[in-house]
Amino acid sequence: MFKVNTQRTYQYPVNATIYDEDGKECTGKFKARFKVLPHDEAKELPEDTSLLEVVLTGVSEIEIPGPDGAPLAGEALVEAVKNDPALSTATQAAYQESIVKKNRPRS
């Protein structure tokens, strides 16, 4: 029997590319922890809700300095990823990929 926890969370790799102050392309990888968003819950979300606000529950293997130069941790780190345009786009793409990647029909 195939048992499925519909309230599951899981980790998935995120590949991101950013540009530094000199315009140099920097590519890296970190892990995001996502929770599965059932379709009925997705339909009930307000129109202006960001997907990451609902599905991103944590990140690891990434370092972002805070205003004092010390690395952010916990919710502050998650919020920094959500707030950075390049990181949030890469994270959202990773979530979408994680949902469809293994469930696509093979051609």
Side-chain angles (χ1 to χ4, degrees):
M1 175 179 287
F2 182 44
K3 293 184 179 183
V4 177
N5 174 2
T6 59
Q7 303 300 312
R8 68 192 177 276
T9 62
Y10 60 94
Q11 281 193 349
Y12 196 80
V14 177
N15 296 306
T17 300
I18 62 167
Y19 292 91
D20 68 11
E21 294 81 13
D22 299 323
K24 181 181 175 194
E25 191 175 277
C26 302
T27 302
K29 187 181 218 179
F30 63 95
K31 289 187 179 169
R33 176 159 293 283
F34 297 117
K35 73 175 187 175
V36 174
L37 179 62
H39 286 297
D40 59 348
E41 288 180 30
K43 290 176 187 176
E44 294 175 9
L45 293 173
E47 192 173 309
D48 61 344
T49 302
S50 163
L51 177 64
L52 292 184
E53 290 298 326
V54 181
V55 301
L56 185 61
T57 64
V59 294
S60 61
E61 300 180 21
I62 184 171
E63 184 176 305
I64 299 175
D68 62 356
L72 296 173
E75 191 59 32
L77 181 57
V78 172
E79 288 303 316
V81 168
K82 289 178 188 176
N83 195 42
D84 183 278
L87 297 178
S88 64
T89 299
T91 305
Q92 186 165 330
Y95 177 75
Q96 298 289 354
E97 178 181 296
S98 75
I99 297 297
V100 299
K101 184 176 184 179
K102 296 291 183 183
N103 294 302
R104 281 186 234 150
R106 297 183 193 263
S107 50

